[in-house]
């Protein structure tokens, strides 16, 4: 909007321009245009209404009015406009009065719009939260602060301090709150959510609506207490009629979900885990969901007041009919296998389940009966009759279940109480050697505990119980204490028997039989009606404790013996000498002598450990048989057990060491050395093959003969056998050697070592055979060869060929490797190479000597011929 400005020149003084008729007429026409424009704008603004039903629309309206009127007001303050008004005033124009009235209205309405926009802006933040905030909880937090801000506006504003302004604005706020609640409680989505979430949303929505009304009346009181002369006494119906109605709808919805939840609680997850028919439970849960499904597709909005009658019909139908039918269906389908709460016994649990259904249907019908008009109607009578039929079925079901349980309890309980405390898990006539497999089991029937539990729950249900069942139920703590102690005692017994091996059971046979004698009282004589159960448990526990202590002591000694045997078994009987000067290995005899020497040292330690074992067994004898002779008949089998263990350990000692020795032979790590020598006419090893085999076999024999130092015990004792004089000059000591040496495992390892040594020597022999290419050096008859050459007197070239051959031999030998490592043996070839060179050189010397002699002989012959020729001249 822009005012039309005059075209005349206004540079002169106001008084001068006011006397010029042309100027005054021109300015008057301009002022008339202004008047019409301002009047039109004011009329247009006064006719405008907010675009929307919410409070923010009213704030936006006042902001637009303020912006429009401010634009006109600012233009009227321009210097040219003010000068025009002054000129017309000076000219005493009649038109000036009408224009001033319009300008006065502009000022008044602008100030009102400005004031309203300013004060209502203080509410904008709260109203935006009310309009767009997430969740009804935000709305609940906004309402108190919003009403407090409205109270300040009422007190301080010059225009929103009267009913005509404030009531419509409050109505808009009430509309905004109801719309937000309606969007939150949307039936199409609400019934698709789980019951707990839906109930929470409904409760929050209802609380929000109620808080709106409560906060309003609280603000009314605060306005009065503030001393303001203008109170809040508005039309409450116009403000809260719709929200009060929505509160009632929320309550109806909550009641519907509450009923549905009560039906679903029959099938809470605990029941699903214990029922044997989970598919049936799922089907019934679907039936419960079907109860409320029609409300998802209502053809009307239940939150609109005009639909109140339709909504009332829906709620009444739900209360009247659906609940009774669904409860009956649940009852009929689960009649034979009712779902039980955790820890509930079968019969009392079934009765409790039936009563819970009856209670739920009664609760719903009670709400229905409060409506007298509905109860008196034909439909109401039908529903009530249906209710009575269903409850009668439930009562008959409960009575039958109770009667069957009572008859069963009166018949079975006396028989169960006659059961013995314990029962055997296997036969009692088994031999002692396998007695550890015989076990006892608690013979307390689970049916007794079930009857006790049933009895307690039956009394909670107000049903009479048989006297014997009540007596047994009162003794529950005692039976529980007895069964727990018996379980602990039997657990200790079985654990103790598992701890003992066959030898220990034979060793402690007397103590085991004594424990058996006591336990058999619980198997043969004592019943659950006996008075000596407590004493029986104490006696068994004490006897087991004494036997446990004795077993523990025997095990400690046994572990000590086993530790010594383990040390013996892990002894290394083949300790090898370290190489001297780096690469130089000891000779074969030095190697095996070292092994023998070290074995002798180890044997002393082994025998020392072995000799301590009888003393430990005597300690066992002292604790078990109360003697220390080392030959107690009660320990004869125990002595034999340990003697057999020693034999097995010695077998393992020898076998493991022979395996180690065999592995050493096969490894490519040289530990001893031998030499290849020329012993014409043959190339041999030094020591030779048979000597090496003999030394190896002797080392194996030395290893096995270690067991000769382990003297056997006399029969039935742990005392070493004294030497026996077989003949006058022959003494025999009984040791483990004869048995160990005949062991197939030991023999197998000894044979394997011998075979590997033979293969090794064969491999070395193949290596020596390569030197046979030079055997003519020592196999040929040197004298015969030289005599033949001397007789033939060959030319020098023949001698040169022979000398070149032997020269090549001496040079070729230097190219051969002088050391050959084969598995654990290092073969020194230097002596052989030296002998070959010496033989070649010997041939060279002999041939040279012969050549010299022949040359000398020819020279002398030539000299003689020369002399003869000289003399003949």
């Amino acid at each position: 909007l822009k005012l039309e400005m005059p075209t005349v020149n206004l540079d002169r003084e106001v008084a001068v321009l006011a006397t010029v008729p042309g100027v005054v007429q021109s300015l008057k026409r301009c002022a008339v245009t202004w008047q019409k424009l301002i009047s039109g704008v004011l009329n247009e603004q006064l006719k405008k209404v907010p675009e929307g039903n919410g409070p923010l629309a009213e704030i936006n309206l006042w902001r637009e009015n303020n912006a429009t009127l401010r634009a006109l007001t600012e233009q009227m303050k321009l210097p040219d406009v003010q000068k025009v008004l002054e000129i017309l005033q000076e000219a005493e124009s009649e038109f000036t009065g009408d224009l001033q009235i319009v300008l006065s209205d502009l000022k008044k309405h602008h100030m009102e719009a400005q004031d309203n926009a300013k004060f209502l802006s203080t509410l904008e933040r709260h109203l935006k939260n009310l309009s767009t905030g997430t969740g009804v909880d935000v709305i609940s937090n906004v309402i108190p602060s919003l009403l407090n801000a409205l109270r300040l506006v009422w007190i301080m504003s010059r225009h929103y301090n009267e009913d005509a302004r404030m009531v419509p604005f409050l109505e808009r706020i009430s509309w905004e709150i109801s719309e937000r609640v309606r969007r939150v409680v949307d039936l199409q989505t609400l019934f698709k959510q789980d019951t707990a979430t839906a109930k929470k949303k409904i409760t929050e929505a209802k609380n929000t609506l109620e808080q709106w009304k409560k906060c309003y009346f609280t603000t009314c009181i605060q306005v009065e207490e503030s001393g303001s002369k203008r109170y809040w006494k508005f039309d409450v119906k116009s403000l809260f009629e719709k929200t009060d109605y929505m509160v009632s709808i929320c309550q109806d919805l909550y009641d519907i979900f509450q009923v549905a939840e009560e039906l679903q609680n029959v099938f809470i997850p605990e029941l699903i885990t214990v029922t044997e028919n989970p598919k049936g439970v799922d089907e019934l849960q679907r039936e419960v969901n079907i109860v409320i499904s029609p409300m998802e597709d209502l053809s009307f909005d239940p939150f609109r007041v005009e639909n109140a009658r339709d909504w009332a019909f829906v709620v009444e139908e739900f209360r009247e009919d659906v609940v009774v039918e669904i409860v009956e269906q649940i009852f009929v389908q689960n009649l034979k296998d009712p779902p039980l709460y955790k820890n509930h016994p079968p019969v009392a649990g079934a009765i409790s389940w039936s009563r819970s259904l009856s209670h739920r249907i009664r609760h719903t019908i009670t709400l229905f009966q409060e409506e007298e008009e509905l109860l008196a109607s034909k439909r109401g009578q039908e529903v009530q009759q249906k209710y009575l039929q269903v409850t009668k079925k439930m009562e008959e079901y409960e009575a039958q279940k109770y009667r069957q349980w009572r008859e069963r309890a009166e018949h079975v309980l006396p028989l169960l109480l006659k059961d013995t405390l314990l029962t055997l898990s296997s036969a009692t006539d088994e031999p002692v050697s396998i007695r550890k497999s015989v076990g006892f089991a608690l013979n307390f029937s689970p049916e007794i505990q079930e009857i006790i539990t049933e009895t307690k729950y039956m009394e909670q249900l107000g049903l009479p119980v048989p006297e014997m069942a009540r007596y047994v139920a009162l003794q529950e703590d005692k039976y529980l204490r007895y069964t727990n102690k018996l379980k602990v005692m039997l657990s200790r017994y079985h654990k103790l028997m598992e701890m003992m091996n066959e030898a220990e059971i034979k060793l402690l046979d007397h103590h085991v039989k004594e424990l058996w004698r006591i336990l058999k009282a619980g198997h043969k004589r004592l019943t659950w009606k006996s008075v000596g159960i407590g004493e029986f448990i104490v006696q068994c526990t004490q006897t087991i404790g004494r036997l446990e202590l004795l077993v523990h002591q025997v095990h400690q000694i046994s572990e000590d013996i086993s530790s010594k045997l383990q040390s013996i078994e892990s002894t290394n009987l083949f300790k090898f000498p370290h190489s001297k000067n780096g690469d130089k290995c000891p000779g074969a005899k030095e190697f095996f002598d070292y092994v023998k020497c070290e074995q002798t040292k180890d044997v002393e330690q082994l025998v020392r450990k072995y000799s301590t074992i009888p003393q430990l067994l005597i300690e066992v004898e002292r604790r078990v048989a109360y003697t220390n002779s080392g030959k107690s008949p009660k320990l004869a089998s125990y002595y034999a057990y340990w003697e057999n263990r020693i034999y097995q350990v010695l077998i393992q000692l020898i076998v493991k060491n022979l395996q180690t020795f065999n592995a050493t032979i096969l490894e490519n790590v040289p530990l001893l050395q031998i030499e290849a020598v020329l012993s014409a006419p043959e190339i041999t090893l030094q020591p030779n093959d048979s000597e090496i085999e003999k030394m190896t076999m002797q080392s194996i024999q030395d290893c096995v003969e270690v067991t000769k130092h382990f003297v056997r015990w006399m029969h039935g004792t742990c005392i070493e056998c004294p030497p026996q004089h077989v003949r006058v000059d022959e003494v025999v000591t009984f040791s483990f050697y004869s048995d160990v040496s005949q062991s197939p495992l030991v023999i197998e390892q000894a044979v394997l070592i011998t075979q590997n040594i033979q293969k090794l020597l064969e491999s070395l022999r193949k290596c020596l055979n390569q030197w046979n290419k030079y055997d003519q050096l020592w196999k040929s008859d040197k004298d015969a060869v030289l005599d033949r050459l001397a007789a033939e007197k060959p030319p020098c070239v023949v001698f040169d060929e022979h000398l070149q051959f032997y020269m090549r031999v001496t040079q070729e030998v230097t190219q051969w490797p002088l050391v050959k490592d084969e598995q654990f043996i290092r073969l020194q070839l230097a002596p052989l190479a030296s002998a070959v060179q010496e033989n070649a050189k010997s041939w060279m010397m002999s041939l040279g000597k012969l050549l010299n002699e022949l040359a000398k002989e020819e020279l002398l012959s030539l000299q003689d011929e020369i002399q003869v020729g000289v003399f003949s001249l």
Side-chain angles (χ1 to χ4, degrees):
L1 297 175
K2 191 171 183 181
L3 297 177
E4 181 181 350
M5 301 306 295
T7 57
V8 298
N9 188 355
L10 300 178
D11 292 339
R12 288 178 291 176
E13 296 293 332
V14 172
V16 175
L17 292 174
T19 59
V20 180
V23 172
V24 173
Q25 287 299 322
S26 177
L27 295 180
K28 184 185 290 186
R29 287 194 299 271
C30 187
V32 169
T33 303
W34 293 350
Q35 180 180 345
K36 289 180 180 180
L37 176 63
I38 293 171
S39 297
V41 169
L42 289 175
N43 290 333
E44 183 181 350
Q45 295 301 316
L46 292 175
K47 291 178 182 179
K48 280 188 176 182
V49 294
E51 296 180 357
N53 297 322
L56 287 174
E58 187 164 338
I59 295 177
N60 292 333
L61 176 64
W62 284 116
R63 281 183 174 160
E64 292 175 2
N65 287 348
N66 180 41
T68 301
L69 299 180
R70 183 174 66 247
L72 291 175
T73 302
E74 293 298 326
Q75 290 183 72
M76 292 305 299
K77 293 179 181 180
L78 292 174
D80 288 348
V81 175
Q82 289 297 315
K83 193 168 185 178
V84 169
L85 295 177
E86 290 176 5
I87 293 171
L88 293 175
Q89 185 70 31
E90 183 69 25
E92 297 180 355
S93 172
E94 297 176 359
F95 174 73
T96 306
D98 295 336
L99 180 59
Q100 289 299 329
I101 293 172
V102 172
L103 292 177
S104 177
D105 288 343
L106 173 62
K107 181 178 181 182
K108 181 184 72 172
H109 290 300
H110 174 232
M111 292 181 64
E112 180 182 5
Q114 185 179 35
D115 187 70
N116 291 344
K118 180 181 70 173
F119 281 103
L120 292 181
S121 294
T122 61
L123 309 174
E124 186 173 19
R125 176 172 59 87
H126 305 300
L127 294 175
K128 283 184 177 179
N129 287 334
L130 188 67
S131 176
T132 60
T134 57
V136 290
D137 54 332
V138 175
I139 302 175
S140 299
N141 296 329
V142 165
I143 289 174
S145 54
L146 173 61
L147 284 170
N148 185 59
L150 275 172
R151 180 178 63 84
L152 297 177
V153 170
W154 173 265
I155 294 172
M156 302 175 64
S157 174
R158 293 192 296 271
H159 304 282
Y160 270 81
N161 58 359
E162 54 188 28
D163 295 7
R165 293 285 192 195
M166 186 57 75
V167 172
F169 195 72
L170 287 171
E171 289 176 353
R172 288 178 175 276
I173 294 175
S174 181
W175 178 89
E176 189 70 57
I177 292 173
S178 64
E179 283 300 302
R180 286 304 309 279
V181 168
R182 189 180 64 79
R183 290 198 297 270
V184 170
V185 189
D186 179 17
L187 267 60
Q188 290 186 348
T189 59
L190 190 68
F191 284 97
K192 294 179 181 178
Q193 298 174 341
D194 61 274
T195 304
T197 303
K199 286 176 62 177
K200 181 181 178 183
K201 282 190 173 183
I202 294 170
T203 302
E204 290 176 348
K206 180 172 174 286
N207 292 340
T208 298
L209 294 169
E210 291 175 340
Q211 186 186 25
W212 160 239
K213 189 172 184 178
K214 180 181 178 181
C215 289
Y216 167 78
F217 285 111
T218 301
T219 306
C220 289
I221 296 172
Q222 291 174 346
V223 170
E224 292 181 10
E225 292 176 351
S226 67
S228 173
K229 295 180 180 180
R230 299 184 298 277
Y231 300 154
W232 276 18
K233 294 183 178 180
F234 309 140
D235 182 8
V236 177
K237 182 179 179 181
S238 65
L239 294 179
F240 301 109
E241 180 181 17
K242 183 175 183 179
T243 56
D244 286 346
Y245 173 72
M246 293 180 70
V247 168
S248 68
I249 300 300
C250 288
Q251 185 61 53
D252 289 340
L253 290 171
Y254 185 86
D255 292 341
I256 290 170
F257 276 103
Q258 181 66 26
V259 171
E261 184 178 51
E262 289 177 357
L263 293 174
Q264 288 173 334
N265 280 343
V266 181
F267 313 105
I268 56 178
E270 295 148 355
L271 296 179
I272 296 175
T273 60
V274 298
T275 183
E276 295 181 358
N277 186 17
K279 291 184 178 179
V281 171
D282 294 338
E283 181 63 29
L284 290 172
Q285 285 185 320
R286 284 193 290 272
E287 293 293 337
V288 172
N289 293 333
I290 291 174
V291 172
I292 59 176
S293 60
M295 298 186 183
E296 299 180 27
D297 302 317
L298 292 178
S299 59
F300 60 89
D301 183 359
F303 288 109
R304 296 180 68 86
V305 179
E306 54 267 29
N307 295 328
R309 186 173 183 82
D310 294 335
W311 174 251
F313 176 80
V314 172
V315 174
E316 289 167 8
E317 186 179 51
F318 175 81
R319 289 177 175 174
E320 290 174 9
D321 193 16
V322 176
V323 174
V324 177
E325 290 185 358
I326 193 67
V327 170
E328 181 186 19
Q329 187 177 3
I330 291 171
F331 177 72
V332 171
Q333 291 189 7
N334 289 269
L335 199 60
K336 295 182 180 179
D337 185 21
L340 305 177
Y341 289 98
K342 279 188 176 179
N343 302 322
H344 275 58
V347 180
I351 296 174
S352 297
W353 169 76
S354 176
R355 289 190 177 184
S356 68
L357 288 178
S358 178
H359 170 74
R360 286 175 174 83
I361 194 174
R362 187 180 299 112
H363 172 71
T364 304
I365 294 300
T366 301
L367 296 176
F368 166 70
Q369 289 175 340
E370 293 175 357
E371 304 291 336
E372 296 182 1
E373 295 181 0
L374 294 175
L375 184 61
S377 65
K378 181 180 179 181
R379 181 60 179 163
Q381 293 298 321
E382 292 176 357
V383 172
Q384 190 172 21
Q385 186 64 31
K386 183 71 173 178
Y387 161 70
L388 293 175
Q389 292 175 358
V390 174
T391 54
K392 184 179 179 180
K393 289 181 182 178
M394 293 179 177
E395 290 171 357
E396 292 174 352
Y397 171 77
E398 295 170 17
Q400 181 186 10
K401 282 285 185 181
Y402 167 73
R403 183 176 63 256
Q404 292 174 347
W405 171 80
R406 184 183 181 97
E407 292 173 356
R408 172 73 180 170
E410 289 176 341
H411 173 69
V412 171
L413 191 56
L415 300 176
L416 295 176
L417 293 176
K418 291 181 181 180
D419 287 342
T420 57
L421 303 182
L422 306 177
T423 182
L424 285 176
S425 59
S426 58
T428 60
D429 56 354
E430 295 182 354
V432 173
S433 61
I434 55 174
R435 185 172 293 166
K436 64 182 297 184
S437 65
V438 180
F440 291 92
L442 182 65
N443 194 29
F444 186 78
S445 173
E447 194 169 356
I448 298 178
Q449 183 60 54
E450 185 177 299
I451 291 175
I452 292 174
T453 308
E454 292 278 11
T455 301
K456 293 166 63 178
Y457 278 93
M458 289 292 183
E459 290 189 325
Q460 290 179 12
L461 293 171
L463 297 173
V465 296
E467 284 301 320
M468 180 169 285
R470 177 181 289 108
Y471 171 78
V472 172
L474 291 174
Q475 304 294 316
E476 181 184 16
D477 290 343
K478 182 180 74 174
Y479 285 122
L480 182 62
R481 186 168 62 254
Y482 284 162
T483 54
N484 286 339
K485 288 184 177 180
L486 285 169
K487 287 178 182 177
V488 172
M489 182 269 290
L490 290 176
S491 175
R492 287 180 62 186
Y493 164 75
H494 292 127
K495 183 177 180 181
L496 176 62
M497 297 304 292
E498 288 297 325
M499 287 171 58
M500 294 187 288
N501 57 33
E502 183 179 334
E504 290 167 344
I505 290 179
K506 290 181 180 179
L507 170 68
L508 303 173
D509 181 64
H510 172 73
H511 301 273
V512 173
K513 285 180 178 178
E514 174 64 17
L515 176 57
W516 262 60
R517 184 188 65 80
I518 296 171
L519 286 171
K520 282 182 178 178
H523 168 57
K524 298 288 187 181
R525 180 171 53 85
L526 294 174
T527 69
W528 294 104
K529 296 173 65 176
S530 302
V531 295
I533 298 177
E535 291 79 0
F536 167 74
I537 295 173
V538 170
Q539 189 178 11
C540 290
T541 303
Q542 290 176 347
T543 305
I544 291 172
R546 289 193 293 270
L547 183 55
E548 282 177 336
L549 177 61
L550 186 57
V551 170
H552 179 67
Q553 292 172 343
V554 171
H555 279 182
Q556 282 185 322
I557 298 173
S558 176
E559 288 172 4
D560 197 1
I561 297 175
S562 296
S563 175
K564 294 181 183 301
L565 293 181
Q566 176 63 31
S567 176
I568 291 172
E569 182 180 336
S570 60
T571 301
N572 179 14
L573 296 177
F574 284 95
K575 295 185 175 71
F576 306 122
H578 298 290
S579 299
K580 297 178 180 179
N581 302 323
D583 294 335
K584 185 173 178 57
C585 296
K589 186 176 185 307
E590 181 184 357
F591 174 83
F592 287 107
D593 286 347
Y594 181 89
V595 171
K596 174 64 176 176
C597 180
E598 291 298 314
Q599 280 182 358
T600 303
K601 296 177 185 177
D602 291 332
V603 167
E604 294 177 1
Q605 297 293 328
L606 295 179
V607 172
R608 191 176 296 113
K609 293 174 184 177
Y610 172 70
S611 63
T612 61
I613 294 177
Q615 295 302 318
L616 293 172
L617 293 176
I618 291 173
E619 178 63 22
V620 174
E621 177 188 342
R622 188 180 66 79
R623 295 179 184 275
V624 175
Y626 309 109
T627 60
N628 58 356
S629 62
K631 53 184 179 180
S632 171
K634 293 182 179 180
L635 273 76
S637 62
Y638 197 60
Y639 299 144
Y641 165 76
W642 281 109
E643 194 169 21
N644 182 61
R645 281 283 305 274
I646 293 168
Y647 167 70
Q648 296 296 334
V649 165
L650 292 177
I651 290 288
Q652 290 299 314
L653 169 68
I654 302 304
V655 169
K656 287 181 179 179
N657 275 279
L658 291 180
Q659 288 174 339
T660 301
F661 184 41
N662 187 47
T664 303
I665 291 173
L666 297 176
E667 285 184 359
N668 291 320
V669 178
L671 296 177
L672 61 90
Q673 69 179 25
I674 59 177
E675 295 180 348
V677 296
L678 178 59
S679 180
E682 300 294 335
I683 299 175
T684 62
L685 297 175
Q686 191 178 10
N688 60 35
D689 298 25
S690 59
E691 289 175 334
I692 294 174
E693 280 193 55
K694 183 178 180 180
M695 285 187 283
T696 303
M697 292 303 299
Q698 184 59 49
S699 185
I700 295 173
Q701 184 65 25
D702 291 341
C703 175
V704 177
E705 288 183 354
V706 165
T707 57
K708 286 184 176 181
H709 299 274
F710 292 83
V711 181
R712 295 290 297 270
W713 298 338
M714 290 189 289
H715 181 69
T717 74
C718 62
I719 301 173
E720 293 184 357
C721 291
Q724 302 295 311
H725 294 273
V726 180
R727 296 185 182 85
V728 178
D729 58 345
E730 184 179 357
V731 178
V732 176
T733 300
F734 291 100
S735 68
F736 285 95
Y737 171 74
S738 58
D739 295 312
V740 172
S741 61
Q742 296 175 16
S743 168
L745 296 175
V746 174
I747 295 173
E748 179 186 359
Q749 289 300 318
V751 171
L752 187 61
I753 293 172
T754 303
Q755 291 174 347
N756 288 331
I757 284 293
Q758 290 173 349
K759 291 178 182 178
L760 173 58
L761 293 175
E762 180 64 25
S763 177
L764 294 175
R765 172 54 58 190
K766 289 180 180 180
C767 175
L768 295 182
N769 288 339
Q770 298 175 7
W771 291 79
N772 286 333
K773 61 188 291 186
Y774 305 119
D775 60 356
Q776 292 303 316
L777 293 176
W778 54 85
K779 286 185 177 182
S780 297
D781 188 348
K782 187 188 298 183
D783 293 337
V785 171
L786 293 175
D787 290 343
R788 180 174 57 81
L789 289 175
E792 293 176 356
K793 297 181 180 181
C796 291
V797 66
V798 174
F799 282 95
D800 183 63
E801 290 176 357
H802 284 286
L803 290 173
Q804 289 294 332
F805 168 74
Y806 294 121
M807 180 64 71
R808 285 196 301 272
V809 169
T810 59
Q811 292 175 352
E812 186 177 316
V813 167
T814 60
Q815 304 300 318
W816 282 66
L818 300 181
V819 175
K820 169 67 174 178
D821 289 340
E822 190 74 18
Q823 295 180 5
F824 86 121
I825 292 179
R826 172 164 290 172
L827 177 60
Q828 293 288 354
L829 295 167
L832 176 59
S834 177
V836 171
Q837 286 180 322
E838 289 298 324
N839 275 275
K841 290 178 180 179
S842 175
W843 275 97
M844 292 171 65
M845 290 294 294
S846 297
L847 286 172
K849 182 177 180 182
L850 176 60
L851 179 61
N852 182 56
E853 290 176 352
L854 291 175
K856 185 177 180 180
E857 182 179 342
E858 288 185 7
L859 179 61
L860 292 174
S861 175
L862 181 60
Q863 286 178 348
D864 290 341
E865 289 180 2
I866 292 172
Q867 289 178 0
V868 171
V870 171
F871 292 143
S872 65
L873 293 175

